[in-house]
Amino acid sequence: MSDFFGFNTVMPGRQGGRIALNLEEQQELDRQVQKYALETGEDFEIYDYGETYDNLADDLEETRDDLNDETFGGAGGADEGTDFDFAKNTHQVAPALKKEEELYIKQSDHSGVRRSSFASLWENNGNNLQGLPEPSHAASSIWGSFSNTTAKGMDIGGNGGFAVHDPVFGQGTFALSRPSGFGGNQPSLEEIEAQLARTAGAQPHIQMQQERKMMSLEEVEAALMNINGGRPIYSEAMIAEQQAKQARLEQRRAERQAKQAETAKHNGLMTQSDKDFINRIQISQLVTDDPYADDFYCQVYTALRNRHLQQMGIPGNMMDPEGNQGDSRRRGGNGRTEQRMQQQVQRIVSDAKRNPKRTNVTVEGALGKIAVNSVLNPRQLLQVSKRGSYAESSGPNSPKPPSPGPVSTKSHTVLGWIENVYTYVLALEQKRRQQPPPPRMGEEEIAGEAIRRWNEEYGVLARKMWNELRITVPIGIVHPHPFISILNYSKGKKVIPRVLRHLLPEQTLTLLTMLVANFESLNVCKSEVYADVQGNQEIELFMNTIVPPLLGFVSEAPFRIVVGLLALFIERNNMIWVARSKPGLAFLTLFLSRAEILKQGQGNYPIPEDREVNQWNELYHRLFNQLQTHFSALFMPKATMAEDVHVWRFLAAMAVGATVDQQHVLVTEVREQVLENVIAAQTSRLSPEKAAQRIGNVNLFLHALGLDASQVSVPAM
Amino acid sequence: MEEYAPLESTGIEEPLDLVRLSLDERIYVKLRGDRELRGKLHAYDGHLNMVLGDVEETITVVDVNDETMEEVIRIVKRNCEMLFVRGDGVILVSPPSRA
């Protein structure tokens, strides 16, 4: 053994346990050790036990090794016998086993069993798993035979396999006498049973063996039961099931291993940095420098849903606020990978921030440009030149603010305005979210600078948005007014509440003034819109988007403003026309009730001056005179009564400010509607809720006059 | 503030701007496979992937009679509350004819 895998394993020679050095070296070493010992004060003697070694181990007596020689054929040279010589035995029967196996394989193929032999299976699993040496060919056959017996609870797994020298089966004979012509889809089972029956030492099996070919499964079973005193060792069905299950499992495992083996040739092709690189490319597609805006819908949806859940009493954070439930599911186990991933993402984000908006790179010497594409910046297929031939009408490349000059109201133009308004509204909302925090102690200067810059940018955007709304375009140049044209689109209506949040109070007032002044050109004022579903939707939208914020504004306005607005309203619009629309009536009600409240001096508003009150009274009379003889026409002809509530509200608002004569006129005009409602409520044609609703509607009006529906005498039917 | 890319007051610079104008409006979409959609445009992107609401889908099916080789044209309609349209099937987008 001088060669260990080609390495020189010859150790330096030894002498009495010490390394053999020649005399000079020995002395030199000793001297050095002594010198070092002097210097360090260390006693090196204690480490040198070469001379103190007392050879104690030589006297140790190891007991119970008396038979070692016999077992291992050691020094004694005694004949150790052949009891343990498996290899010799198996070698003798190997040809027979092999033949046997061939037969078996053939049979298996015929009967449709998918695996070729158990031996191959075990070679795949057992040996690889347990690291055993590859068994000889004959041995593998034995493995194959014995693998079936696992079903009987015999533990032959792993190393135990070698110890199977089972007297029951008698190894050699077992293999030789294996039946080969046995039918059925699980032949090995019957074989085993037959074997078991035969080797159990009982008599009848010899006869059985002769007629084996005609025997059925049941017969074997019966025979088996005979032998074992009428008790089946195990249930046939159970075994079959178990075997099938095992077969399935093993088949699956084999498939998986085959697949793994197939891909295994690619193992290790990529280094870790390669993988990181690929990861980076993939993740970089998703990276953005403005996560909020890119994830806007998810964020808003989550916020809304959380609020909804909280309303229902479920804490919102039960849901993952980041919406990454999928991630948390995947998180188990590979924490390290994930951490690396996160680090990479971080790096990519910072990279992206460092050189933003770079869409292509030009490499020196390259023939083209390399486009850096991402989800947000897809490859551009069409190159449309900016500012093409469309720009004639507004002059060359001038992004000038909307001119107050001639403005067309063609649908494209108006739609364009609306889109611009949306653009600025979105930008403003984004700015709001990026609002710098209030300054902290000691940082006022820096924070103040940031706040000032933010204010400036915010102001610029707000001004642009204001311009896009075209509220300041003078009335009468185009009809309808541009702002009204915007409001005539449903998306134009929808944007108004969002616009109002960014307007200064005086801008809101201007908006309201413009709206009031051009009210009758709104499409929701046209009576034909009540005819179809879409028109009604538009009205709904108007009532839901535009009325509430302006109602809030008016309900804080001083008396003077309310008077001015109503004056403008009456001046500029046909009241009979406007009052027949739901939105028009809503605005009228709004002004009337606000004025009434202020006249009575509620809240912390001063009681208006007499001049203003006189002005108001004059306005009121004008309005009343215009609407007189039309009050009953305010009710929509076919409307269900629940939809009349706004009319009753308006009548109530009128009634509060009316003189006695005017009240009389009011009651006379709408007497029919009052009666109709009361009768309808008192007769049993309606459900109680609807009846109550009708009475409630009527009472809105009657209470304002100091009356009640119960006082109405219903004429005899 | 050019990054917010407002449409110029003249309106249109590139084809997709026209589609943008139709946001929240009803549009007509012609698709491959003899399909047509009419619905309200909620969202779109550069690939003309679209989200449509309140959609009526019209599918034209041509049945060929095996014996006479006669072609029978059948129109199947269905309605969807919300529909995601993948852009690769889109042939045409237009405002519905206002006839």
Side-chain angles (χ1 to χ4, degrees):
Chain A
M1 262 286 275
S2 66
D3 205 5
F4 182 69
F5 291 115
F7 293 109
N8 184 10
T9 54
V10 179
M11 296 290 285
R14 284 174 163 256
Q15 238 178 28
R18 291 187 69 143
I19 296 166
L21 305 164
N22 60 39
L23 200 64
E24 291 96 323
E25 282 172 333
Q26 179 88 46
Q27 283 166 348
E28 173 68 18
L29 186 68
D30 281 346
R31 223 179 302 124
Q32 278 186 0
V33 166
Q34 274 167 8
K35 193 172 159 222
Y36 186 64
L38 278 173
E39 277 169 14
T40 58
E42 183 102 35
D43 185 10
F44 279 89
E45 290 299 315
I46 57 166
Y47 297 128
D48 189 1
Y49 42 79
E51 281 151 5
T52 57
Y53 182 51
D54 52 10
N55 295 335
L56 276 174
D58 293 352
D59 297 329
L60 285 175
E61 190 179 22
E62 292 167 287
T63 54
R64 301 196 176 223
D65 57 356
D66 311 342
L67 294 173
N68 274 2
D69 286 351
E70 199 188 353
T71 310
F72 298 112
D79 185 13
E80 63 267 38
T82 52
D83 288 0
F84 296 93
D85 189 2
F86 298 126
K88 209 169 158 197
N89 277 343
T90 42
H91 190 68
Q92 283 166 0
V93 297
L97 283 170
K98 199 168 169 204
K99 205 170 152 199
E100 184 71 31
E101 192 178 351
E102 275 164 16
L103 271 170
Y104 176 67
I105 290 166
K106 242 185 257 168
Q107 186 189 353
S108 300
D109 287 344
H110 185 68
S111 61
V113 175
R114 261 180 273 179
R115 28 168 217 238
S116 59
S117 78
F118 282 108
S120 61
L121 205 70
W122 277 97
E123 264 160 23
N124 271 347
N125 306 322
N127 294 326
N128 291 350
L129 283 173
Q130 289 146 14
L132 291 174
E134 186 111 0
S136 73
H137 200 83
S140 80
S141 294
I142 293 168
W143 275 92
S145 331
F146 275 99
S147 72
N148 284 320
T149 59
T150 48
K152 285 181 234 162
M154 290 175 65
D155 180 22
I156 56 154
N159 297 321
F162 281 119
V164 172
H165 187 73
D166 203 325
V168 180
F169 289 94
Q171 197 173 3
T173 52
F174 165 60
L176 281 169
S177 62
R178 241 168 116 190
S180 53
F182 224 88
N185 57 351
Q186 289 288 354
S188 52
L189 178 67
E190 286 88 326
E191 286 166 34
I192 299 293
E193 281 173 15
Q195 288 288 345
L196 199 66
R198 193 154 35 79
T199 54
Q203 291 305 318
H205 68 276
I206 299 162
Q207 197 185 352
M208 264 168 52
Q209 232 170 344
Q210 285 161 355
E211 349 170 308
R212 201 184 296 142
K213 286 237 152 75
M214 285 86 79
M215 229 170 52
S216 75
L217 198 73
E218 286 80 4
E219 281 172 304
V220 177
E221 178 81 329
L224 205 67
M225 279 166 71
N226 265 345
I227 294 154
N228 290 289
R231 266 185 301 117
I233 303 174
Y234 47 84
S235 136
E236 189 76 29
M238 196 177 76
I239 291 295
E241 189 190 337
Q242 218 166 8
Q243 271 199 337
K245 203 164 108 189
Q246 203 178 358
R248 252 198 330 270
L249 261 171
E250 277 167 3
Q251 189 196 333
R252 206 176 299 156
R253 199 159 32 178
E255 273 172 13
R256 198 168 59 222
Q257 268 181 345
K259 211 179 280 175
Q260 274 172 4
E262 203 175 318
T263 56
K265 60 174 181 267
H266 303 300
N267 280 358
L269 265 180
M270 290 169 77
T271 65
Q272 188 53 48
S273 71
D274 287 344
K275 290 175 195 163
D276 287 349
F277 182 67
I278 300 284
N279 273 344
R280 204 150 55 226
I281 290 175
Q282 288 174 343
I283 297 166
S284 67
Q285 296 290 307
L286 308 171
V287 161
T288 160
D289 42 352
D290 187 3
Y292 190 94
D294 280 345
D295 228 4
F296 181 78
Y297 291 103
C298 176
Q299 305 262 12
V300 172
Y301 174 72
T302 316
L304 288 176
R305 193 179 52 174
N306 279 348
R307 199 189 311 162
H308 184 63
L309 287 175
Q310 269 159 3
Q311 275 169 3
M312 296 192 323
I314 306 163
N317 55 9
M318 261 176 64
M319 298 293 175
D320 193 346
E322 305 303 317
N324 55 3
Q325 280 156 314
D327 287 354
S328 60
R329 185 160 43 79
R330 257 179 284 141
R331 196 164 289 156
N334 54 0
R336 211 165 58 86
T337 322
E338 182 144 325
Q339 202 183 352
R340 198 162 52 215
M341 207 82 147
Q342 277 176 351
Q343 283 168 355
Q344 285 213 351
V345 170
Q346 228 152 31
R347 196 162 354 123
I348 292 158
V349 170
S350 56
D351 269 3
K353 273 182 184 158
R354 217 176 304 137
N355 45 2
K357 302 278 185 297
R358 201 176 54 160
T359 52
N360 63 53
V361 242
T362 318
V363 181
E364 202 177 334
L367 291 175
K369 285 176 177 173
I370 298 166
V372 184
N373 298 317
S374 71
V375 185
L376 307 165
N377 178 36
R379 192 158 64 100
Q380 205 170 5
L381 291 175
L382 284 176
Q383 292 282 349
V384 182
S385 59
K386 292 270 169 190
R387 317 224 187 290
S389 51
Y390 298 106
E392 304 139 349
S393 52
S394 82
N397 57 29
S398 58
K400 60 182 173 190
S403 57
V407 206
S408 86
T409 46
K410 280 199 327 217
S411 67
H412 269 187
T413 326
V414 178
L415 287 167
W417 298 338
I418 297 174
E419 286 311 314
N420 288 347
V421 171
Y422 269 101
T423 305
Y424 290 124
V425 165
L426 288 170
L428 281 166
E429 286 172 354
Q430 179 70 1
K431 264 273 170 288
R432 277 265 172 110
R433 287 191 284 267
Q434 293 164 349
Q435 190 165 15
R440 279 178 298 183
M441 293 294 285
E443 289 175 12
E444 280 90 350
E445 202 125 311
I446 312 161
E449 170 65 21
I451 288 169
R452 208 178 46 74
R453 197 151 19 104
W454 183 85
N455 279 336
E456 205 173 288
E457 286 168 3
Y458 185 84
V460 167
L461 282 173
R463 241 189 334 277
K464 288 192 174 185
M465 180 189 73
W466 177 250
N467 284 336
E468 281 302 333
L469 284 168
R470 285 166 172 75
I471 289 167
T472 48
V473 175
I475 298 164
I477 293 170
V478 278
H479 186 83
H481 187 272
F483 178 58
I484 301 297
S485 302
I486 289 176
L487 289 187
N488 281 346
Y489 284 93
S490 56
K491 51 182 162 179
K493 294 186 187 72
K494 282 178 201 163
V495 82
I496 293 300
R498 291 163 78 177
V499 162
L500 287 170
R501 264 180 271 157
H502 305 288
L503 290 186
L504 305 168
E506 58 265 30
Q507 285 177 325
T508 310
L509 179 61
T510 315
L511 183 146
L512 182 56
T513 312
M514 202 47 88
L515 176 65
V516 161
N518 294 286
F519 207 87
E520 63 179 8
S521 45
L522 280 171
N523 60 0
V524 286
C525 274
K526 296 185 171 65
S527 56
E528 62 260 27
V529 298
Y530 290 88
D532 60 357
V533 179
Q534 213 192 335
N536 276 314
Q537 279 174 353
E538 291 288 303
I539 290 163
E540 256 334 280
L541 198 60
F542 190 92
M543 298 301 286
N544 289 331
T545 57
I546 297 179
V547 175
L550 293 180
L551 180 110
F553 180 78
V554 171
S555 65
E556 285 169 10
F559 193 70
R560 189 170 42 81
I561 300 239
V562 179
V563 172
L565 283 171
L566 185 64
L568 192 64
F569 203 19
I570 294 170
E571 186 78 33
R572 300 262 326 154
N573 299 288
N574 179 347
M575 276 301 117
I576 300 165
W577 179 256
V578 169
R580 286 173 74 168
S581 74
K582 213 169 166 180
L585 215 49
F587 269 89
L588 276 177
T589 314
L590 182 59
F591 295 141
L592 288 172
S593 53
R594 175 65 186 162
E596 206 55 46
I597 289 169
L598 286 172
K599 251 181 7 181
Q600 289 162 16
Q602 281 181 15
N604 36 14
Y605 290 92
I607 294 176
E609 297 166 24
D610 286 348
R611 190 174 53 81
E612 285 172 343
V613 175
N614 287 338
Q615 215 179 342
W616 172 260
N617 286 337
E618 199 184 308
L619 272 178
Y620 179 86
H621 291 310
R622 261 176 78 186
L623 177 65
F624 195 92
N625 289 339
Q626 281 192 23
L627 288 178
Q628 201 168 359
T629 72
H630 296 285
F631 283 116
S632 62
L634 300 182
F635 293 95
M636 265 166 287
K638 283 187 293 180
T640 62
M641 292 307 157
E643 289 171 351
D644 277 350
V645 62
H646 66 282
V647 182
W648 291 111
R649 221 176 269 151
F650 168 71
L651 290 174
M654 282 304 271
V656 170
T659 62
V660 180
D661 285 348
Q662 284 167 334
Q663 285 186 348
H664 189 73
V665 173
L666 271 177
V667 172
T668 319
E669 284 204 30
V670 297
R671 186 172 177 278
E672 214 169 295
Q673 274 76 26
V674 172
L675 284 178
E676 195 184 307
N677 273 301
V678 174
I679 292 167
Q682 285 179 355
T683 54
S684 55
R685 274 188 296 138
L686 293 166
S687 64
E689 303 92 60
K690 279 194 174 163
Q693 198 176 19
R694 287 192 167 209
I695 294 293
N697 285 350
V698 174
N699 272 341
L700 275 175
F701 171 58
L702 293 180
H703 285 177
L705 297 167
L707 300 170
D708 191 89
S710 54
Q711 294 169 300
V712 176
S713 55
V714 180
M717 304 285 278
Chain B
M1 293 295 152
E2 282 310 304
E3 66 261 37
Y4 299 118
L7 301 170
E8 294 303 320
S9 48
T10 43
I12 320 303
E13 282 189 1
E14 50 177 292
L16 280 183
D17 287 348
L18 274 172
V19 181
R20 187 176 171 192
L21 295 184
S22 292
L23 276 172
D24 202 44
E25 299 282 302
R26 288 194 78 77
I27 56 164
Y28 165 81
V29 182
K30 190 171 174 175
L31 294 172
R32 278 142 63 132
D34 300 324
R35 282 157 194 265
E36 296 169 359
L37 303 173
R38 283 181 182 78
K40 191 192 246 187
L41 179 66
H42 287 307
Y44 72 95
D45 68 7
H47 308 284
L48 278 178
N49 295 325
M50 286 183 278
V51 179
L52 298 180
D54 198 10
V55 194
E56 185 192 69
E57 182 177 20
T58 310
I59 310 160
T60 311
V61 189
V62 181
D63 291 327
V64 181
N65 192 321
D66 285 336
E67 288 146 27
T68 59
M69 299 306 284
E70 207 175 338
E71 288 186 354
V72 183
I73 294 172
R74 201 154 50 85
I75 290 176
V76 186
K77 289 199 176 192
R78 64 186 187 123
N79 291 296
C80 306
E81 202 179 325
M82 193 71 84
L83 197 68
F84 178 86
V85 183
R86 188 170 150 80
D88 65 353
V90 174
I91 294 172
L92 174 108
V93 181
S94 88
S97 53
R98 296 179 201 272

